[in-house]
Amino acid sequence: QVQLQESGPGLVKPSQTLSLTCTVSGGSISTGSYSWSWIRQPAGKGLEWIGRIYTSGSTNYNPSLKSRVTISADTSKNQFSLRLSSVTAADTAVYYCASRITIFEDAFDIWGQGTMVTVSS
Amino acid sequence: DIQMTQSPSSLSASVGDRVTITCRASQSISSYLNWYQQKPGKAPKLLIYAASSLLSGVPSRFSGSASGTDFTLTISSLQPEDFATYYCQQSYSSPLTFGGGTKVEIK
């Protein structure tokens, strides 16, 4: 059974770069026609899709964050990562990694448990 | 971007009630609409994909339907474990976007 686990610093200073990693277990990030996404949720608010990386290595970002976001993959470690630069307090949120595993359609049927990131000095 | 508008933003219902949540897309998204359930402190869980397909393992009291750009999630008989926040999400075009959520509370 495929599982996702986010990891990374829980506190980032303003103007610095937020870096998170999602470790995939029970399956390979480099097989199939999957994509691997990052989604975030500020406290008490809704969900925002940040972007995704395909098994081909191509990426697709939300234009609202595109200038600050990089998503990459390390197939040797079966991980994919998020880097968000020049963070502000508005980037404080729970960050989730997510993908689709059991279905063909584009939906997120598997999620990590989420990791809280606070932007503060 | 495609805007997803959910209504109501919250509702109160009793166990056994039939509950309907609506999601309207700002443009045609065919059937590229998914529904998620989220409980406090937990990641969302997929319930319905492609507007009306029930994910394996999800109780059959959950159903989804579509009419044009309007989509509906129905819970036929609300159970105690269904009190949560529900989100719709379009996968028709990038950026993928979510509705604002509907919180289902106990009456």
Side-chain angles (χ1 to χ4, degrees):
Chain A
Q1 182 179 357
V2 178
Q3 294 183 315
L4 308 181
Q5 175 76 53
E6 305 90 348
S7 60
L11 181 64
V12 181
K13 288 181 167 54
S15 79
Q16 294 191 342
T17 296
L18 178 161
S19 295
L20 297 174
T21 295
C22 182
T23 299
V24 180
S25 59
S28 172
I29 66 168
S30 57
T31 59
S33 58
Y34 307 133
S35 63
W36 307 90
S37 283
W38 287 98
I39 296 162
R40 70 180 183 179
Q41 184 174 37
K45 296 188 178 181
L47 298 157
E48 180 181 32
W49 178 76
I50 298 169
R52 60 185 162 189
I53 186 165
Y54 294 88
T55 51
S56 64
S58 63
T59 54
N60 179 209
Y61 300 135
N62 191 324
S64 67
L65 298 167
K66 186 174 183 177
S67 63
R68 300 194 290 131
V69 171
T70 302
I71 297 175
S72 60
D74 185 337
T75 55
S76 67
K77 295 182 179 179
N78 219 32
Q79 297 174 333
F80 63 105
S81 299
L82 168 71
R83 288 174 56 86
L84 181 66
S85 64
S86 304
V87 297
T88 70
D91 295 310
T92 294
V94 175
Y95 285 76
Y96 297 100
C97 53
S99 186
R100 66 174 175 87
I101 300 295
T102 65
I103 57 177
F104 176 78
E105 289 77 2
D106 193 3
F108 302 113
D109 65 344
I110 182 169
W111 296 67
Q113 86 283 2
T115 188
M116 179 68 202
V117 177
T118 301
V119 178
S120 175
S121 55
Chain B
D1 299 5
I2 297 175
Q3 306 303 316
M4 307 302 295
T5 303
Q6 273 185 249
S7 61
S9 57
S10 66
L11 64 90
S12 295
S14 301
V15 172
D17 283 354
R18 180 181 183 88
V19 169
T20 298
I21 299 169
T22 298
C23 181
R24 174 169 290 174
S26 61
Q27 65 182 73
S28 175
I29 58 170
S30 187
S31 295
Y32 294 91
L33 191 283
N34 310 308
W35 288 100
Y36 301 85
Q37 176 195 68
Q38 186 178 34
K39 296 182 178 179
K42 301 293 186 181
K45 290 185 177 180
L46 180 65
L47 301 173
I48 303 280
Y49 61 96
S52 60
S53 295
L54 190 69
L55 186 69
S56 178
V58 173
S60 59
R61 62 180 179 273
F62 292 94
S63 64
S65 64
S67 177
T69 58
D70 291 339
F71 299 85
T72 300
L73 172 69
T74 300
I75 309 172
S76 60
S77 178
L78 197 66
Q79 297 302 300
E81 60 268 30
D82 301 337
F83 292 95
T85 300
Y86 294 83
Y87 293 94
C88 60
Q89 175 244 328
Q90 65 83 17
S91 57
Y92 180 78
S93 68
S94 180
L96 308 181
T97 49
F98 292 84
T102 296
K103 187 173 184 178
V104 177
E105 299 176 300
I106 301 172
K107 180 183 283 186

CSV table of all heavy atoms in Angstrom, one decimal, chain A residues 37 39 41 45-49 52 60-64 96 102-109 111-114, chain B residues 1 32 34 36 38 41-46 48-50 53 55 87 89 91 93-100:
chain,number,residue,atom,x,y,z
A,37,SER,N,1.7,15.8,-6.2
A,37,SER,CA,1.3,17.2,-6.0
A,37,SER,C,1.7,17.6,-4.6
A,37,SER,O,1.8,16.8,-3.6
A,37,SER,CB,-0.2,17.4,-6.2
A,37,SER,OG,-0.5,17.4,-7.6
A,39,ILE,N,-0.1,20.5,-1.9
A,39,ILE,CA,-1.3,21.2,-1.6
A,39,ILE,C,-1.1,21.8,-0.2
A,39,ILE,O,-0.5,21.2,0.7
A,39,ILE,CB,-2.5,20.3,-1.6
A,39,ILE,CG1,-2.7,19.7,-3.0
A,39,ILE,CG2,-3.8,21.0,-1.1
A,39,ILE,CD1,-3.6,18.5,-3.1
A,41,GLN,N,-2.9,24.3,3.2
A,41,GLN,CA,-4.1,24.8,3.8
A,41,GLN,C,-3.8,25.6,5.0
A,41,GLN,O,-3.4,25.1,6.0
A,41,GLN,CB,-5.0,23.6,4.2
A,41,GLN,CG,-6.3,23.9,4.8
A,41,GLN,CD,-7.1,22.6,5.1
A,41,GLN,OE1,-6.6,21.6,5.5
A,41,GLN,NE2,-8.4,22.7,4.9
A,45,LYS,N,-8.8,27.6,6.9
A,45,LYS,CA,-9.1,28.0,5.5
A,45,LYS,C,-9.2,26.8,4.6
A,45,LYS,O,-9.0,25.6,5.0
A,45,LYS,CB,-8.2,29.0,5.1
A,45,LYS,CG,-8.2,30.3,5.9
A,45,LYS,CD,-7.4,31.4,5.2
A,45,LYS,CE,-7.5,32.7,6.0
A,45,LYS,NZ,-6.7,33.8,5.4
A,46,GLY,N,-9.4,27.1,3.3
A,46,GLY,CA,-9.5,26.0,2.3
A,46,GLY,C,-8.2,25.5,1.8
A,46,GLY,O,-7.1,25.9,2.2
A,47,LEU,N,-8.3,24.7,0.8
A,47,LEU,CA,-7.2,24.0,0.2
A,47,LEU,C,-6.7,24.8,-1.1
A,47,LEU,O,-7.5,25.2,-1.9
A,47,LEU,CB,-7.6,22.6,-0.2
A,47,LEU,CG,-8.0,21.7,1.0
A,47,LEU,CD1,-8.9,20.6,0.5
A,47,LEU,CD2,-6.8,21.2,1.7
A,48,GLU,N,-5.4,24.9,-1.2
A,48,GLU,CA,-4.8,25.5,-2.4
A,48,GLU,C,-3.8,24.5,-3.0
A,48,GLU,O,-2.8,24.1,-2.3
A,48,GLU,CB,-4.1,26.8,-2.0
A,48,GLU,CG,-3.5,27.5,-3.2
A,48,GLU,CD,-2.7,28.8,-2.8
A,48,GLU,OE1,-2.2,28.9,-1.7
A,48,GLU,OE2,-2.7,29.7,-3.6
A,49,TRP,N,-4.0,24.2,-4.3
A,49,TRP,CA,-3.0,23.4,-5.0
A,49,TRP,C,-1.8,24.2,-5.4
A,49,TRP,O,-1.9,25.3,-5.9
A,49,TRP,CB,-3.7,22.8,-6.2
A,49,TRP,CG,-2.9,22.0,-7.1
A,49,TRP,CD1,-2.4,20.7,-6.9
A,49,TRP,CD2,-2.3,22.4,-8.4
A,49,TRP,NE1,-1.7,20.3,-7.9
A,49,TRP,CE2,-1.6,21.3,-8.9
A,49,TRP,CE3,-2.4,23.5,-9.1
A,49,TRP,CZ2,-0.9,21.3,-10.1
A,49,TRP,CZ3,-1.7,23.6,-10.4
A,49,TRP,CH2,-1.0,22.5,-10.8
A,52,ARG,N,2.6,20.3,-9.2
A,52,ARG,CA,2.9,18.9,-9.3
A,52,ARG,C,4.1,18.5,-10.2
A,52,ARG,O,4.4,19.4,-11.1
A,52,ARG,CB,1.7,18.1,-9.8
A,52,ARG,CG,1.1,18.5,-11.1
A,52,ARG,CD,-0.2,17.7,-11.4
A,52,ARG,NE,-0.9,18.4,-12.5
A,52,ARG,CZ,-2.1,18.0,-12.9
A,52,ARG,NH1,-2.8,17.1,-12.2
A,52,ARG,NH2,-2.8,18.6,-13.9
A,60,ASN,N,4.2,21.4,-13.3
A,60,ASN,CA,3.0,22.2,-13.5
A,60,ASN,C,2.7,22.9,-12.2
A,60,ASN,O,2.5,22.3,-11.2
A,60,ASN,CB,1.8,21.3,-13.9
A,60,ASN,CG,0.5,22.0,-14.2
A,60,ASN,OD1,-0.5,21.4,-14.0
A,60,ASN,ND2,0.6,23.2,-14.7
A,61,TYR,N,2.7,24.3,-12.3
A,61,TYR,CA,2.6,25.1,-11.0
A,61,TYR,C,1.4,26.0,-11.1
A,61,TYR,O,0.9,26.4,-12.2
A,61,TYR,CB,3.8,26.0,-10.8
A,61,TYR,CG,5.1,25.2,-10.7
A,61,TYR,CD1,6.3,25.7,-11.4
A,61,TYR,CD2,5.3,24.1,-9.9
A,61,TYR,CE1,7.5,25.0,-11.3
A,61,TYR,CE2,6.5,23.4,-9.8
A,61,TYR,CZ,7.6,23.9,-10.5
A,61,TYR,OH,8.8,23.2,-10.4
A,62,ASN,N,0.9,26.3,-9.9
A,62,ASN,CA,-0.2,27.3,-9.8
A,62,ASN,C,0.4,28.6,-10.1
A,62,ASN,O,1.4,29.0,-9.5
A,62,ASN,CB,-0.7,27.3,-8.4
A,62,ASN,CG,-2.0,28.1,-8.2
A,62,ASN,OD1,-2.2,29.1,-8.9
A,62,ASN,ND2,-2.9,27.6,-7.4
A,63,PRO,N,-0.2,29.3,-11.1
A,63,PRO,CA,0.4,30.7,-11.5
A,63,PRO,C,0.5,31.6,-10.3
A,63,PRO,O,1.4,32.5,-10.3
A,63,PRO,CB,-0.6,31.2,-12.5
A,63,PRO,CG,-1.2,29.9,-13.1
A,63,PRO,CD,-1.3,29.0,-11.9
A,64,SER,N,-0.3,31.5,-9.3
A,64,SER,CA,-0.3,32.4,-8.2
A,64,SER,C,1.0,32.2,-7.4
A,64,SER,O,1.4,33.1,-6.6
A,64,SER,CB,-1.5,32.2,-7.3
A,64,SER,OG,-1.4,30.9,-6.6
A,96,TYR,N,0.5,19.6,2.4
A,96,TYR,CA,0.2,18.1,2.1
A,96,TYR,C,0.9,17.8,0.8
A,96,TYR,O,0.9,18.5,-0.1
A,96,TYR,CB,-1.3,17.9,2.0
A,96,TYR,CG,-2.1,18.1,3.2
A,96,TYR,CD1,-2.9,19.3,3.3
A,96,TYR,CD2,-2.2,17.1,4.2
A,96,TYR,CE1,-3.7,19.5,4.4
A,96,TYR,CE2,-3.0,17.3,5.3
A,96,TYR,CZ,-3.8,18.5,5.4
A,96,TYR,OH,-4.6,18.7,6.5
A,102,THR,N,-5.0,4.6,-7.0
A,102,THR,CA,-5.9,3.5,-7.3
A,102,THR,C,-6.8,3.8,-8.4
A,102,THR,O,-7.6,2.9,-8.8
A,102,THR,CB,-6.7,3.2,-6.0
A,102,THR,OG1,-7.5,4.3,-5.7
A,102,THR,CG2,-5.8,2.9,-4.9
A,103,ILE,N,-6.9,5.0,-8.9
A,103,ILE,CA,-7.8,5.3,-10.0
A,103,ILE,C,-7.1,6.0,-11.2
A,103,ILE,O,-6.0,6.5,-11.0
A,103,ILE,CB,-8.9,6.3,-9.4
A,103,ILE,CG1,-8.2,7.6,-8.9
A,103,ILE,CG2,-9.8,5.7,-8.4
A,103,ILE,CD1,-9.2,8.7,-8.4
A,104,PHE,N,-7.8,5.9,-12.3
A,104,PHE,CA,-7.2,6.5,-13.5
A,104,PHE,C,-7.4,8.0,-13.6
A,104,PHE,O,-6.6,8.8,-14.1
A,104,PHE,CB,-7.8,5.8,-14.7
A,104,PHE,CG,-7.3,6.4,-16.0
A,104,PHE,CD1,-6.1,6.1,-16.5
A,104,PHE,CD2,-8.2,7.3,-16.8
A,104,PHE,CE1,-5.6,6.7,-17.7
A,104,PHE,CE2,-7.7,7.8,-17.9
A,104,PHE,CZ,-6.5,7.5,-18.4
A,105,GLU,N,-8.6,8.4,-13.1
A,105,GLU,CA,-9.0,9.8,-13.2
A,105,GLU,C,-8.1,10.7,-12.3
A,105,GLU,O,-7.5,10.3,-11.3
A,105,GLU,CB,-10.5,10.0,-12.8
A,105,GLU,CG,-11.5,9.4,-13.7
A,105,GLU,CD,-11.6,7.9,-13.7
A,105,GLU,OE1,-10.9,7.3,-12.8
A,105,GLU,OE2,-12.3,7.3,-14.5
A,106,ASP,N,-8.0,12.0,-12.7
A,106,ASP,CA,-7.2,12.9,-12.0
A,106,ASP,C,-7.9,13.4,-10.7
A,106,ASP,O,-8.7,14.3,-10.7
A,106,ASP,CB,-6.9,14.1,-12.9
A,106,ASP,CG,-5.8,15.0,-12.4
A,106,ASP,OD1,-5.2,14.7,-11.4
A,106,ASP,OD2,-5.5,16.1,-13.1
A,107,ALA,N,-7.6,12.8,-9.6
A,107,ALA,CA,-8.1,13.1,-8.3
A,107,ALA,C,-7.0,12.6,-7.3
A,107,ALA,O,-6.2,11.8,-7.6
A,107,ALA,CB,-9.4,12.5,-8.0
A,108,PHE,N,-7.1,13.2,-6.1
A,108,PHE,CA,-6.1,12.8,-5.1
A,108,PHE,C,-6.7,11.7,-4.1
A,108,PHE,O,-7.4,12.0,-3.2
A,108,PHE,CB,-5.7,14.1,-4.3
A,108,PHE,CG,-5.2,15.2,-5.1
A,108,PHE,CD1,-5.9,16.3,-5.3
A,108,PHE,CD2,-4.0,15.0,-5.8
A,108,PHE,CE1,-5.4,17.4,-6.1
A,108,PHE,CE2,-3.4,16.0,-6.6
A,108,PHE,CZ,-4.1,17.2,-6.7
A,109,ASP,N,-6.3,10.5,-4.4
A,109,ASP,CA,-6.8,9.4,-3.6
A,109,ASP,C,-5.9,9.0,-2.5
A,109,ASP,O,-6.2,8.1,-1.7
A,109,ASP,CB,-7.3,8.2,-4.4
A,109,ASP,CG,-6.1,7.5,-5.2
A,109,ASP,OD1,-5.0,8.2,-5.3
A,109,ASP,OD2,-6.3,6.4,-5.6
A,111,TRP,N,-3.0,10.9,0.3
A,111,TRP,CA,-2.5,12.1,0.9
A,111,TRP,C,-1.5,11.7,2.0
A,111,TRP,O,-1.7,10.7,2.7
A,111,TRP,CB,-3.6,12.9,1.6
A,111,TRP,CG,-4.6,13.4,0.6
A,111,TRP,CD1,-5.6,12.7,-0.1
A,111,TRP,CD2,-4.9,14.8,0.3
A,111,TRP,NE1,-6.3,13.6,-0.8
A,111,TRP,CE2,-6.0,14.9,-0.6
A,111,TRP,CE3,-4.3,16.0,0.7
A,111,TRP,CZ2,-6.5,16.1,-1.1
A,111,TRP,CZ3,-4.8,17.2,0.2
A,111,TRP,CH2,-5.9,17.2,-0.7
A,112,GLY,N,-0.5,12.6,2.2
A,112,GLY,CA,0.3,12.5,3.4
A,112,GLY,C,-0.5,13.0,4.6
A,112,GLY,O,-1.6,13.6,4.4
A,113,GLN,N,0.0,12.9,5.8
A,113,GLN,CA,-0.7,13.4,7.0
A,113,GLN,C,-0.7,14.9,7.1
A,113,GLN,O,-1.4,15.5,7.9
A,113,GLN,CB,-0.3,12.7,8.3
A,113,GLN,CG,0.9,13.3,8.9
A,113,GLN,CD,2.3,13.1,8.3
A,113,GLN,OE1,2.3,12.4,7.2
A,113,GLN,NE2,3.3,13.6,8.9
A,114,GLY,N,0.2,15.5,6.4
A,114,GLY,CA,0.4,17.0,6.4
A,114,GLY,C,1.5,17.4,7.4
A,114,GLY,O,1.7,16.7,8.4
B,1,ASP,N,-8.3,31.1,-14.1
B,1,ASP,CA,-8.5,30.0,-13.2
B,1,ASP,C,-10.0,29.7,-13.1
B,1,ASP,O,-10.9,30.6,-13.2
B,1,ASP,CB,-8.1,30.3,-11.8
B,1,ASP,CG,-6.6,30.6,-11.7
B,1,ASP,OD1,-5.9,30.6,-12.8
B,1,ASP,OD2,-6.1,30.8,-10.6
B,32,TYR,N,-15.1,16.6,-14.6
B,32,TYR,CA,-13.9,16.6,-13.9
B,32,TYR,C,-14.0,17.2,-12.5
B,32,TYR,O,-13.4,18.3,-12.2
B,32,TYR,CB,-12.8,17.2,-14.7
B,32,TYR,CG,-12.4,16.5,-16.0
B,32,TYR,CD1,-13.1,16.8,-17.2
B,32,TYR,CD2,-11.4,15.5,-16.0
B,32,TYR,CE1,-12.8,16.1,-18.4
B,32,TYR,CE2,-11.1,14.8,-17.1
B,32,TYR,CZ,-11.8,15.1,-18.3
B,32,TYR,OH,-11.5,14.4,-19.5
B,34,ASN,N,-14.3,16.4,-8.3
B,34,ASN,CA,-14.0,15.4,-7.2
B,34,ASN,C,-14.5,16.0,-5.9
B,34,ASN,O,-14.6,17.2,-5.7
B,34,ASN,CB,-12.5,15.1,-7.1
B,34,ASN,CG,-11.9,14.8,-8.4
B,34,ASN,OD1,-12.5,13.8,-9.1
B,34,ASN,ND2,-10.9,15.4,-8.8
B,36,TYR,N,-14.2,15.7,-1.6
B,36,TYR,CA,-13.4,15.2,-0.5
B,36,TYR,C,-14.1,15.5,0.9
B,36,TYR,O,-14.8,16.4,1.0
B,36,TYR,CB,-12.0,15.9,-0.5
B,36,TYR,CG,-11.2,15.7,-1.7
B,36,TYR,CD1,-11.4,16.5,-2.8
B,36,TYR,CD2,-10.2,14.7,-1.8
B,36,TYR,CE1,-10.7,16.3,-4.0
B,36,TYR,CE2,-9.5,14.5,-2.9
B,36,TYR,CZ,-9.7,15.3,-4.0
B,36,TYR,OH,-9.0,15.1,-5.2
B,38,GLN,N,-13.0,16.1,4.9
B,38,GLN,CA,-11.9,16.4,5.8
B,38,GLN,C,-12.4,16.6,7.3
B,38,GLN,O,-13.3,17.4,7.5
B,38,GLN,CB,-11.1,17.7,5.4
B,38,GLN,CG,-9.9,17.9,6.2
B,38,GLN,CD,-9.1,19.2,5.8
B,38,GLN,OE1,-9.7,20.1,5.4
B,38,GLN,NE2,-7.8,19.1,5.9
B,41,GLY,N,-7.8,18.3,11.8
B,41,GLY,CA,-6.5,17.8,12.1
B,41,GLY,C,-6.1,16.6,11.1
B,41,GLY,O,-5.0,16.1,11.3
B,42,LYS,N,-6.9,16.3,10.2
B,42,LYS,CA,-6.6,15.2,9.3
B,42,LYS,C,-6.5,15.7,7.8
B,42,LYS,O,-7.1,16.7,7.5
B,42,LYS,CB,-7.7,14.1,9.4
B,42,LYS,CG,-7.9,13.6,10.8
B,42,LYS,CD,-6.7,12.8,11.2
B,42,LYS,CE,-6.9,12.1,12.5
B,42,LYS,NZ,-5.7,11.3,12.9
B,43,ALA,N,-5.9,14.9,7.0
B,43,ALA,CA,-5.8,15.2,5.6
B,43,ALA,C,-7.2,14.9,4.9
B,43,ALA,O,-8.0,14.0,5.4
B,43,ALA,CB,-4.8,14.3,4.9
B,44,PRO,N,-7.5,15.6,3.9
B,44,PRO,CA,-8.8,15.2,3.1
B,44,PRO,C,-8.7,13.8,2.6
B,44,PRO,O,-7.7,13.2,2.4
B,44,PRO,CB,-8.7,16.2,2.0
B,44,PRO,CG,-7.9,17.3,2.4
B,44,PRO,CD,-6.8,16.7,3.3
B,45,LYS,N,-10.0,13.3,2.5
B,45,LYS,CA,-10.1,11.9,1.9
B,45,LYS,C,-11.0,12.0,0.7
B,45,LYS,O,-12.1,12.6,0.8
B,45,LYS,CB,-10.7,11.0,3.0
B,45,LYS,CG,-9.8,10.6,4.1
B,45,LYS,CD,-10.5,9.6,5.0
B,45,LYS,CE,-9.5,9.1,6.1
B,45,LYS,NZ,-10.2,8.1,7.0
B,46,LEU,N,-10.6,11.4,-0.4
B,46,LEU,CA,-11.4,11.4,-1.6
B,46,LEU,C,-12.7,10.5,-1.4
B,46,LEU,O,-12.6,9.4,-0.9
B,46,LEU,CB,-10.6,10.8,-2.7
B,46,LEU,CG,-11.3,10.7,-4.1
B,46,LEU,CD1,-11.6,12.1,-4.6
B,46,LEU,CD2,-10.4,10.0,-5.1
B,48,ILE,N,-15.7,10.9,-3.9
B,48,ILE,CA,-16.3,10.8,-5.2
B,48,ILE,C,-15.3,11.4,-6.3
B,48,ILE,O,-14.7,12.5,-6.0
B,48,ILE,CB,-17.6,11.6,-5.3
B,48,ILE,CG1,-18.6,11.1,-4.3
B,48,ILE,CG2,-18.2,11.5,-6.7
B,48,ILE,CD1,-19.3,9.9,-4.6
B,49,TYR,N,-15.1,10.7,-7.4
B,49,TYR,CA,-14.3,11.3,-8.4
B,49,TYR,C,-15.1,11.2,-9.7
B,49,TYR,O,-16.0,10.5,-9.8
B,49,TYR,CB,-12.9,10.6,-8.5
B,49,TYR,CG,-13.0,9.1,-8.9
B,49,TYR,CD1,-12.9,8.6,-10.2
B,49,TYR,CD2,-13.3,8.2,-7.9
B,49,TYR,CE1,-13.1,7.3,-10.5
B,49,TYR,CE2,-13.4,6.8,-8.1
B,49,TYR,CZ,-13.3,6.4,-9.5
B,49,TYR,OH,-13.4,5.0,-9.7
B,50,ALA,N,-14.6,12.0,-10.7
B,50,ALA,CA,-15.3,12.1,-12.0
B,50,ALA,C,-16.8,12.4,-11.8
B,50,ALA,O,-17.7,11.7,-12.4
B,50,ALA,CB,-15.1,10.9,-12.8
B,53,SER,N,-18.4,8.9,-9.5
B,53,SER,CA,-17.8,7.6,-9.3
B,53,SER,C,-17.4,7.5,-7.8
B,53,SER,O,-16.7,8.4,-7.3
B,53,SER,CB,-16.6,7.4,-10.1
B,53,SER,OG,-17.0,7.3,-11.5
B,55,LEU,N,-15.4,6.2,-4.8
B,55,LEU,CA,-14.2,5.5,-4.5
B,55,LEU,C,-14.4,4.2,-3.8
B,55,LEU,O,-15.2,4.2,-2.9
B,55,LEU,CB,-13.2,6.4,-3.7
B,55,LEU,CG,-11.8,5.9,-3.5
B,55,LEU,CD1,-11.0,6.0,-4.9
B,55,LEU,CD2,-11.1,6.8,-2.5
B,87,TYR,N,-15.2,19.3,0.5
B,87,TYR,CA,-14.6,20.2,-0.5
B,87,TYR,C,-14.8,19.5,-1.9
B,87,TYR,O,-14.7,18.3,-2.1
B,87,TYR,CB,-13.1,20.4,-0.3
B,87,TYR,CG,-12.7,21.1,0.9
B,87,TYR,CD1,-12.4,20.5,2.1
B,87,TYR,CD2,-12.6,22.5,0.9
B,87,TYR,CE1,-12.0,21.2,3.2
B,87,TYR,CE2,-12.3,23.3,2.0
B,87,TYR,CZ,-11.9,22.6,3.1
B,87,TYR,OH,-11.6,23.3,4.3
B,89,GLN,N,-13.5,19.8,-6.0
B,89,GLN,CA,-12.2,20.2,-6.6
B,89,GLN,C,-12.3,19.8,-8.1
B,89,GLN,O,-12.8,18.7,-8.5
B,89,GLN,CB,-11.0,19.4,-6.0
B,89,GLN,CG,-9.7,19.6,-6.7
B,89,GLN,CD,-9.2,18.3,-7.4
B,89,GLN,OE1,-9.4,17.2,-6.9
B,89,GLN,NE2,-8.5,18.5,-8.5
B,91,SER,N,-10.7,19.1,-11.8
B,91,SER,CA,-9.4,18.6,-12.4
B,91,SER,C,-9.5,18.8,-13.9
B,91,SER,O,-8.8,18.1,-14.6
B,91,SER,CB,-9.2,17.1,-12.0
B,91,SER,OG,-10.3,16.3,-12.4
B,93,SER,N,-8.8,21.7,-15.6
B,93,SER,CA,-7.6,22.4,-16.1
B,93,SER,C,-6.8,23.0,-15.0
B,93,SER,O,-7.3,23.1,-13.9
B,93,SER,CB,-8.1,23.6,-17.0
B,93,SER,OG,-8.8,24.6,-16.2
B,94,SER,N,-5.6,23.3,-15.3
B,94,SER,CA,-4.6,23.8,-14.4
B,94,SER,C,-4.8,25.3,-14.3
B,94,SER,O,-5.0,26.0,-15.4
B,94,SER,CB,-3.2,23.5,-14.8
B,94,SER,OG,-2.3,24.0,-13.9
B,95,PRO,N,-4.7,25.9,-13.1
B,95,PRO,CA,-4.4,25.3,-11.8
B,95,PRO,C,-5.7,24.6,-11.3
B,95,PRO,O,-6.8,25.0,-11.4
B,95,PRO,CB,-4.1,26.5,-10.9
B,95,PRO,CG,-4.9,27.6,-11.5
B,95,PRO,CD,-4.9,27.4,-13.0
B,96,LEU,N,-5.4,23.4,-10.7
B,96,LEU,CA,-6.5,22.7,-10.0
B,96,LEU,C,-7.0,23.6,-8.9
B,96,LEU,O,-6.2,24.2,-8.2
B,96,LEU,CB,-5.9,21.4,-9.4
B,96,LEU,CG,-5.2,20.5,-10.4
B,96,LEU,CD1,-4.7,19.2,-9.8
B,96,LEU,CD2,-6.0,20.2,-11.7
B,97,THR,N,-8.3,23.6,-8.7
B,97,THR,CA,-8.9,24.5,-7.8
B,97,THR,C,-9.9,23.8,-6.9
B,97,THR,O,-10.6,22.9,-7.4
B,97,THR,CB,-9.5,25.8,-8.4
B,97,THR,OG1,-10.3,25.4,-9.5
B,97,THR,CG2,-8.4,26.7,-8.9
B,98,PHE,N,-10.1,24.2,-5.7
B,98,PHE,CA,-11.0,23.7,-4.7
B,98,PHE,C,-12.1,24.7,-4.4
B,98,PHE,O,-11.9,25.9,-4.5
B,98,PHE,CB,-10.3,23.3,-3.4
B,98,PHE,CG,-9.3,22.2,-3.5
B,98,PHE,CD1,-8.0,22.4,-3.9
B,98,PHE,CD2,-9.7,20.9,-3.2
B,98,PHE,CE1,-7.1,21.4,-4.0
B,98,PHE,CE2,-8.7,19.9,-3.2
B,98,PHE,CZ,-7.5,20.1,-3.7
B,99,GLY,N,-13.3,24.2,-4.0
B,99,GLY,CA,-14.3,25.0,-3.5
B,99,GLY,C,-13.9,25.4,-2.1
B,99,GLY,O,-12.9,24.9,-1.5
B,100,GLY,N,-14.7,26.4,-1.5
B,100,GLY,CA,-14.3,26.9,-0.2
B,100,GLY,C,-14.7,26.0,0.9
B,100,GLY,O,-14.3,26.3,2.1
